[in-house]
Amino acid sequence: MNLSPKTIQIYLPGGDPRGIRMAEITTRIMRLIEVPRSLLPAFLQMPESDQVAVYFLVSVSEDGAECRVYVGQSSDLRTRLTEHNKNKSFWQRALVMVSRTHNLTQTHALFLEWHSLQTIRQTGRFSDENGNRGSRPHTPAPMEADCLEMFDTSRTLLATLGFPLFDPVAHDPNANQPPEIFVCEASGTQGRGQYTEEGFVVLQGSVGRLQSVPSLQGTSDDSFRQRLLAQGVMRAEGHTVVFQRDHLFRSPSMAALALLGRTANGWLEWKSPAGRTLDDLKRQAN
């Protein structure tokens, strides 16, 4: 991902920041349009809906524990999105990528659809609703290079509007500096995690308690832990749970609760390998 400085323009065609939003990097040709499902009829009246497009239908649960996406492409976007509105119940918003210069072809779109889906599956932040694995479409090398530049633009715009579909939740271990790891070993747990810009990530392989403490059972916090099990984020192994993938929590305390099976102050439970708390290193140090 290119992390050089960028200027991004966001246009509100209806004037409402909660409505349709159109984002673009001012020096590139791709435009991302975020469409709340309730405003789909309004978008289908816009000229942008009459273009070749790659689109993402997304849903994020209120607690952030379940993120789902369907990836598609079409040269008949109005018909396709109308069908999805009738037949797919899960999604809340459509994210539509089009070309500002109208030069996105079906060949571009097929490659971008395939590459987007593979990246989503590799990063594991969103579970996809596409079902089949799909095969790599034949794309001439010069066109593939253009597609990868379009994809990089899409990655930036999606993340800017709050949908980092292509970005892993944990920091890249191959970055210039090794990631800072925190551990949670209270109550017999063996948790490892990272404090990130978005919250706190519990890393794959972390081990927690299976049984919630009696005071937690029957509460919304216990239901939250049960959803993590049902969604395959955690798997029961004997008297423990094991994280099957990196998982982002909105706060260190929710991450600690998921591991410990009890309410916890994550700022104090998560510690550096040297024993310093997350609070000491990240809040008190400022």
Side-chain angles (χ1 to χ4, degrees), residues 11-285:
Y11 172 61
L12 309 176
D16 185 353
R18 297 164 298 182
I20 295 174
R21 299 192 292 173
M22 304 171 66
E24 58 191 54
I25 297 176
T26 53
T27 57
R28 300 190 189 177
I29 67 169
M30 299 303 290
R31 172 179 291 152
L32 173 68
I33 307 164
E34 178 188 354
V35 184
R37 188 166 186 165
S38 63
L39 295 179
L40 182 62
F43 170 68
L44 296 181
Q45 297 300 314
M46 295 169 60
E48 286 81 5
S49 68
D50 192 26
Q51 297 185 39
V52 175
V54 179
Y55 61 88
F56 309 89
L57 307 179
V58 298
S59 172
V60 179
S61 62
E62 290 188 7
D63 58 16
E66 185 177 26
C67 301
R68 302 161 68 188
V69 62
Y70 177 87
V71 184
Q73 58 78 31
S74 181
S75 59
D76 187 4
L77 187 61
R78 290 172 176 167
T79 298
R80 187 66 60 84
L81 289 182
T82 298
E83 291 174 351
H84 289 326
N85 195 33
K86 293 178 180 178
N87 301 324
K88 295 186 182 299
S89 60
F90 79 93
W91 61 280
Q92 301 159 341
R93 304 179 104 71
L95 307 167
V96 182
M97 290 298 307
V98 297
S99 168
R100 296 165 56 196
T101 55
H102 297 260
N103 66 348
L104 192 68
T105 68
Q106 196 76 40
T107 303
H108 289 111
L110 284 168
F111 180 87
L112 287 168
E113 176 191 39
W114 173 82
H115 188 64
S116 296
L117 191 55
Q118 304 315 305
T119 305
I120 287 168
R121 288 170 173 168
Q122 289 167 9
T123 58
R125 182 186 285 263
F126 279 68
S127 61
D128 72 85
E129 299 289 315
N130 287 70
N132 62 71
R133 303 298 295 180
S135 57
R136 182 188 181 103
H138 173 70
T139 311
M143 184 174 287
E144 181 174 325
D146 289 341
C147 286
L148 292 176
E149 183 173 324
M150 294 175 187
F151 176 81
D152 183 64
T153 302
S154 302
R155 180 199 293 267
T156 299
L157 295 177
L158 285 164
T160 297
L161 292 185
F163 301 94
L165 300 176
F166 307 136
D167 300 332
V169 294
H171 288 153
D172 186 357
N174 297 318
N176 292 332
Q177 294 183 343
E180 189 175 16
I181 300 297
F182 292 89
V183 298
C184 178
E185 297 177 339
S187 304
T189 61
Q190 295 179 338
R192 299 173 67 252
Q194 293 179 10
Y195 182 57
T196 75
E197 298 86 348
E198 297 178 85
F200 196 92
V201 177
V202 176
L203 299 177
Q204 180 180 12
S206 293
V207 178
R209 292 165 46 100
L210 173 62
Q211 194 74 22
S212 297
V213 298
S215 61
L216 199 72
Q217 294 175 14
T219 67
S220 59
D221 286 337
D222 188 44
S223 297
F224 173 68
R225 296 189 79 232
Q226 295 306 314
R227 286 197 300 276
L228 293 176
L229 285 164
Q231 293 161 8
V233 176
M234 304 188 305
R235 185 181 67 197
E237 293 187 5
H239 297 294
T240 68
V241 292
V242 180
F243 274 72
Q244 300 302 293
R245 58 179 181 267
D246 299 342
H247 187 76
L248 172 67
F249 293 89
R250 298 306 177 192
S251 72
S253 294
M254 289 304 294
L257 180 145
L259 278 171
L260 299 170
R262 60 171 171 80
T263 56
N265 184 340
W267 293 98
L268 301 181
E269 299 285 359
W270 291 101
K271 299 177 181 179
S272 71
R276 296 184 65 186
T277 67
L278 180 64
D279 179 71
D280 185 31
L281 292 171
K282 298 301 180 182
R283 294 202 300 188
Q284 305 307 323

